[in-house]
Amino acid sequence: MTEAFHVGDARITRIQELHWDNADPGKLYPDMDPEALATFGSSLTPGSFNSTTGRLAQGTHAWLVQLPGTTVLIDTATGNDKPLPAAPALDHLHTPFLARLAAVGVQPEQIDTVLHTHIHADHVGWNTHLRDGKWVPTFPNARHYFSEIEARYGASNDGIDPAPDLPPEILGPPDHRPLRRVYQDSMLPVIEAGLGQPIAIDGQEVLAGLSFHSTPGHSIDHASIRLRSKGQEAWFTGDVMHHPLQVYRPDLRSVYCEFIETAERSRRWMLEQAAESGSLCFTPHFAETSAGYVKRRKNGFSWEFAQPDTGEIK
């Protein structure tokens, strides 16, 4: 039986791509201090932190959201065959991602909508696949929604179309730019096929119950996606957090965050939203079930993993 979560009328299933349990916390969090794990390591579950090796567990995956009359994929992980030499763990993958999608009864042609939190390599990769040496859309019947600013920045980063107004000064100077070729290989073929839908990240619904909310910093116009159905609510957090440790220590930015101070503000905003509402949070890189709840604790927050198939909203 496939493990799934339920939020109102929505059935939500994780489609796994990669899992690893050897992430070096010092490399993942460049500003890491010894107190972080000394203080909060005991609060992390064994499936997320190995106290013997000191390593963290993470993964990459997409979230399949099945609603009455529509089938949605939120982010699309890394994809196969993508040339990503600057990210060796993601370079030229060969994973059974589409077979795992088929195992829950969904073929690529049945995806109606793809929603992207941001345009990074491990979130847009399965938008396309290789066919006769050419990148072509994987989900040929799906409207792909994404930030217009993210797309413009990606096109500029790949030398396709300059965007001299980006990034805006309000974000501060970027720590680094996105990986090259992500837009070119994973976004442009979708747009050229007429399947792209650039949007403003302004909180408006793009589908009934699904809305994009601004949480920039990890990327130039990063969004978190809210689902509301039958009076229940959930968040697809995107990369405001990469590991439960950041729930306890939201000041820790990941090495992948492009605009550091803005990313921390967005992370704290998301944690406040999740704790206040009690919403179920679906994350893109947490290990274990990858979904859970943000709880308030004295002077901060804690994380509690949720288990699938309960249908329970706390």
Side-chain angles (χ1 to χ4, degrees), residues 125-147:
W126 273 109
N127 284 0
T128 61
H129 65 283
L130 275 180
R131 180 190 297 162
D132 299 326
K134 182 180 178 181
W135 296 111
V136 299
T138 304
F139 311 105
N141 299 316
R143 176 66 55 184
H144 294 60
Y145 289 82
F146 49 85
S147 160

Side-chain angles (χ1 to χ4, degrees), residues 105-282:
V106 177
Q107 297 297 325
E109 294 79 10
Q110 295 173 285
I111 300 294
D112 302 308
T113 307
V114 175
L115 306 180
H116 288 302
T117 59
H118 62 298
I119 300 176
H120 275 182
D122 53 340
H123 291 260
V124 301
W126 273 109
N127 284 0
T128 61
H129 65 283
L130 275 180
R131 180 190 297 162
D132 299 326
K134 182 180 178 181
W135 296 111
V136 299
T138 304
F139 311 105
N141 299 316
R143 176 66 55 184
H144 294 60
Y145 289 82
F146 49 85
S147 160
E148 180 181 17
I149 290 174
E150 290 264 334
R152 289 181 56 227
Y153 195 52
S156 174
N157 193 54
D158 283 355
I160 296 170
D161 192 10
D165 58 318
L166 298 177
E169 290 185 8
I170 194 172
L171 295 182
D175 181 71
H176 59 276
R177 294 183 70 89
L179 294 177
R180 297 296 298 271
R181 292 191 59 172
V182 173
Y183 177 87
Q184 177 181 325
D185 292 347
S186 298
M187 296 300 301
L188 188 58
V190 167
I191 295 168
E192 291 179 337
L195 300 174
Q197 184 65 59
I199 62 170
I201 307 302
D202 58 6
Q204 297 298 308
E205 288 190 352
V206 297
L207 298 175
L210 285 160
S211 52
F212 283 69
H213 298 263
S214 181
T215 48
H218 174 73
S219 65
I220 190 171
D221 201 31
H222 183 282
S224 297
I225 297 171
R226 185 175 64 196
L227 167 66
R228 284 178 167 170
S229 177
K230 295 286 187 179
Q232 298 179 345
E233 178 178 288
W235 284 92
F236 296 86
T237 63
D239 280 359
V240 291
M241 301 175 290
H242 285 74
H243 190 274
L245 179 60
Q246 286 177 291
V247 177
Y248 296 89
R249 283 287 304 272
D251 60 305
L252 292 178
R253 52 101 178 193
S254 83
V255 69
Y256 309 109
C257 288
E258 295 176 22
F259 303 90
I260 297 168
E261 292 182 2
T262 305
E264 181 179 341
R265 287 196 294 271
S266 291
R267 185 159 43 255
R268 292 184 184 277
W269 179 88
M270 184 76 259
L271 291 169
E272 286 284 352
Q273 290 290 318
E276 181 68 22
S277 65
S279 300
L280 182 56
C281 293
F282 295 95

